[in-house]
Amino acid sequence: MVVGAGQGSSFESGLIPGSLPDDEFAALVQEEADGSPPRVFALVEEYGQREDCEIFAWGLEFEKRAAVFDLDGTLFARCASADGAHALFSRIRNVRLAWPSAAAPQPRG
């Protein structure tokens, strides 16, 4: 027994009325992901007088907020920005804000 409209209908093509074909929807999903990806940053702890350093935490900066994670992935803090995260953690540790080369902020024109 077939339920729904006859031959040539959305039901026959596998589409739900109002939905996009899979390839068009995949392009829409990709466009959404490409539209405003978060930027990765690191808070790097400095030891001594610029003698050594290591990553203290990683962060993701979104358009209006940032999240900072421990090296094991535990959420440390939510801040307004990467600069805000740097200011917060600079109160308790000697950290510098670093942008991996691929995620470095682009000059605003």
Side-chain angles (χ1 to χ4, degrees), residues 34-53:
D34 290 342
S36 61
R39 294 184 303 164
V40 175
F41 65 92
L43 294 175
V44 181
E45 188 164 11
E46 181 180 326
Y47 299 113
Q49 297 295 315
R50 295 184 303 272
E51 296 167 21
D52 200 5
C53 64

Side-chain angles (χ1 to χ4, degrees), residues 2-22:
V2 175
V3 178
Q7 259 185 341
S9 73
S10 307
F11 289 103
E12 185 176 273
S13 69
L15 292 177
I16 298 170
S19 69
L20 296 172
D22 190 55

